[in-house]
Amino acid sequence: MSVEIVPVVGIGEVTDTDDIASVITSALAAMNVGLRDRDVVVVTHKIVSKAEGQVRTIESEEAYRALVAGEAVEILRRRGDLVITKTRHGFICANAAVDRSNVPQGWAVLLPDDPDASAHRIRLRLQRDHDVAIGVVITDTFGRAWRRGLCDVAIGVSGIPAILDLRGGRDMQGRVLEVTEVAVADEIAAAADLAMGKASGIPVAIVRGLDLPAVEGRARDLVRTASEDMFR
Amino acid sequence: MSVEIVPVVGIGEVTDTDDIASVITSALAAMNVGLRDRDVVVVTHKIVSKAEGQVRTIESEEAYRALVAGEAVEILRRRGDLVITKTRHGFICANAAVDRSNVPQGWAVLLPDDPDASAHRIRLRLQRDHDVAIGVVITDTFGRAWRRGLCDVAIGVSGIPAILDLRGGRDMQGRVLEVTEVAVADEIAAAADLAMGKASGIPVAIVRGLDLPAVEGRARDLVRTASEDMFR
């Protein structure tokens, strides 16, 4: 079965007077696209943060650095202006995910306060308005250790597993699988980014055709604890 | 424009008498699916390695560990039976990517000797046989620092950029983009995995509908050098 990724076009500027589920529903209506059962609606966090008022003014580089410091609960590394931080959600990322692109000059966007809860709210509202059972993934763009370039990852999840647990599964030869935990929400985030693009400013995509078990995942399932992590 | 991921079904066991491009062409013919210009053919490395004879017998756990040690040029961390290694290609991954799933008991599969070259050969052959201009990505499944679960990533690339360089690009507000280097080949690998599944044993997928610049990337572009990397 094919998987399809449909970019949701026509979403303009979002402010804290907007409801994200309503914004998505309006855009889908204008596209004449409906939601189907098992669709996964992928939303870049920036519009969620804006709708939740997670936007701050920054009048200087110093104010930006202070904002980053306030959002970070731990500094893992520092090189020049770049700091690799742990956010209060547990995510390891550059500059505590405080972002100045796709926002007006002098402003910065923070992560949602509780992205799993945000995903859950958006899902319940979309499910009610469209009479479907879906998943929602909220994404951000993170760097990685060891590999160059950035990838979109899941920072909020609702209605699907964040990690697909194949433990006990067997391969085609009947051998117990070595790959047992697939970060499926991160793969969905990465896939959605292919249809959104970075510069084109499309903040939502529908990933359609997945066959995921009905497990309630959360993006915090993806956070490796410090004691499990060999690279801090 | 939607992006579509089409799993290529019906590929059976591959051995070193097989040519991967021919195997893919036969499977596509049986599906009645043709290749189109700008398609990206994503191939899990395991069938490429098998076709290239990158398969070894292992008679014991000790032989497995010796094989891992031989494939690793550097050990970054060790915890119990798990070693985090750098392979000669520069990839950081568990157990030097020596893999025992989806191979008969007593055997292990290594990475291709030069996965970028493998991707290039497969691409040239598919382009000739189908009269199209395409990209090829060869994948493996790697763990990450900081985040639980595994994701498919690109270990071989031909015909597309590995990293999409948006430096100098501007966002919707005209502000210079902060996210400038997207690891698009890794996002393609992750997306393809959504259609392949781990246990279902589908080793090839077509990612269709991307609009990538005609830049010749290589998976080694994705390797962060030790001096650039803050987490070794």
Side-chain angles (χ1 to χ4, degrees):
Chain A
M1 244 263 289
S2 288
V3 173
E4 194 187 5
I5 312 160
V6 183
V8 178
V9 297
I11 295 176
E13 266 306 295
V14 169
T15 71
D16 61 7
T17 62
D18 285 310
D19 171 83
I20 288 298
S22 305
V23 165
I24 294 169
T25 293
S26 300
L28 288 171
M31 290 170 68
N32 208 17
V33 168
L35 289 179
R36 301 183 196 160
D37 283 333
R38 310 179 82 77
D39 280 354
V40 180
V41 178
V42 183
V43 188
T44 53
H45 85 87
K46 203 161 294 177
I47 63 168
V48 178
S49 295
K50 286 177 178 174
E52 294 180 359
Q54 290 287 82
V55 177
R56 302 288 181 271
T57 53
I58 38 168
E59 280 153 17
S60 63
E61 280 303 305
E62 201 166 72
Y64 173 69
R65 283 194 292 270
L67 191 55
V68 169
E71 289 295 298
V73 296
E74 192 184 328
I75 307 285
L76 278 77
R77 299 284 191 285
R78 190 187 294 274
R79 185 178 286 183
D81 278 347
L82 175 70
V83 282
I84 309 297
T85 50
K86 185 171 96 172
T87 72
R88 102 185 70 88
H89 324 79
F91 302 129
I92 311 289
C93 58
N95 299 325
V98 179
D99 196 343
R100 292 181 287 184
S101 61
N102 280 310
V103 277
Q105 185 86 36
W107 293 82
V109 175
L110 314 180
L111 292 186
D113 189 49
D114 181 346
D116 282 323
S118 304
H120 192 63
R121 274 195 304 274
I122 294 168
R123 178 167 76 97
L124 291 188
R125 179 70 189 276
L126 286 173
Q127 291 194 147
R128 192 193 69 189
D129 292 351
H130 296 258
D131 194 23
V132 288
I134 61 167
V136 168
V137 173
I138 297 175
T139 66
D140 197 2
T141 306
F142 285 1
R144 303 89 54 87
W146 317 324
R147 293 177 76 81
R148 290 180 55 222
L150 297 101
C151 279
D152 276 16
V153 297
I155 64 158
V157 170
S158 179
I160 59 162
I163 292 184
L164 208 51
D165 190 346
L166 304 173
R167 274 175 298 189
R170 287 174 185 274
D171 66 19
M172 304 289 280
Q173 270 79 21
R175 211 185 137 86
V176 173
L177 287 173
E178 291 192 2
V179 171
T180 52
E181 294 198 314
V182 178
V184 68
D186 282 338
E187 292 192 334
I188 290 169
D193 190 46
L194 292 175
M196 295 187 198
K198 273 287 158 286
S200 56
I202 296 173
V204 178
I206 314 295
V207 179
R208 176 165 285 172
L210 298 178
D211 183 27
L212 296 172
V215 174
E216 274 291 328
R218 302 172 306 175
R220 79 187 67 167
D221 299 339
L222 291 160
V223 173
R224 206 189 281 278
T225 60
S227 65
E228 283 178 326
D229 199 337
M230 295 186 267
F231 294 92
R232 294 214 182 169
Chain B
M1 243 260 290
S2 289
V3 173
E4 195 187 5
I5 312 160
V6 183
V8 178
V9 297
I11 295 176
E13 267 307 296
V14 169
T15 71
D16 61 7
T17 62
D18 286 311
D19 172 83
I20 288 299
S22 305
V23 164
I24 293 169
T25 294
S26 300
L28 288 171
M31 290 170 68
N32 207 18
V33 168
L35 289 179
R36 300 183 196 158
D37 283 332
R38 310 180 82 80
D39 279 355
V40 180
V41 177
V42 183
V43 187
T44 53
H45 86 86
K46 203 160 295 175
I47 63 169
V48 178
S49 294
K50 286 177 179 175
E52 294 181 359
Q54 290 286 81
V55 176
R56 301 289 181 271
T57 53
I58 39 167
E59 281 153 17
S60 63
E61 279 302 305
E62 202 165 69
Y64 173 69
R65 283 194 292 270
L67 191 57
V68 168
E71 290 294 299
V73 297
E74 191 183 328
I75 307 285
L76 279 76
R77 299 283 191 285
R78 190 187 293 274
R79 184 177 286 184
D81 280 346
L82 175 70
V83 283
I84 308 297
T85 51
K86 185 171 93 171
T87 71
R88 103 184 68 90
H89 324 80
F91 302 129
I92 311 290
C93 59
N95 299 324
V98 179
D99 197 342
R100 292 179 288 184
S101 59
N102 280 311
V103 276
Q105 185 86 35
W107 293 83
V109 175
L110 314 180
L111 291 186
D113 190 48
D114 180 347
D116 282 323
S118 304
H120 193 63
R121 275 196 302 275
I122 294 168
R123 179 168 74 97
L124 292 188
R125 179 71 189 276
L126 286 173
Q127 290 195 149
R128 193 192 69 189
D129 292 353
H130 296 258
D131 193 23
V132 288
I134 61 167
V136 168
V137 172
I138 297 176
T139 66
D140 196 4
T141 307
F142 284 0
R144 301 91 53 86
W146 318 324
R147 294 178 76 80
R148 290 179 57 223
L150 297 100
C151 278
D152 275 16
V153 297
I155 63 159
V157 169
S158 179
I160 58 162
I163 291 184
L164 207 53
D165 190 346
L166 303 174
R167 274 175 297 188
R170 289 177 182 273
D171 66 19
M172 304 290 281
Q173 270 80 22
R175 210 185 137 85
V176 172
L177 287 174
E178 292 193 2
V179 171
T180 52
E181 294 198 312
V182 178
V184 67
D186 281 340
E187 292 192 333
I188 290 169
D193 190 46
L194 292 175
M196 295 187 197
K198 273 286 156 287
S200 55
I202 296 172
V204 178
I206 314 296
V207 178
R208 177 165 284 171
L210 298 178
D211 183 26
L212 296 172
V215 174
E216 275 290 329
R218 303 171 307 175
R220 79 186 66 168
D221 300 338
L222 291 160
V223 173
R224 206 188 283 278
T225 60
S227 66
E228 283 178 326
D229 200 337
M230 295 187 265
F231 293 94
R232 295 217 179 165

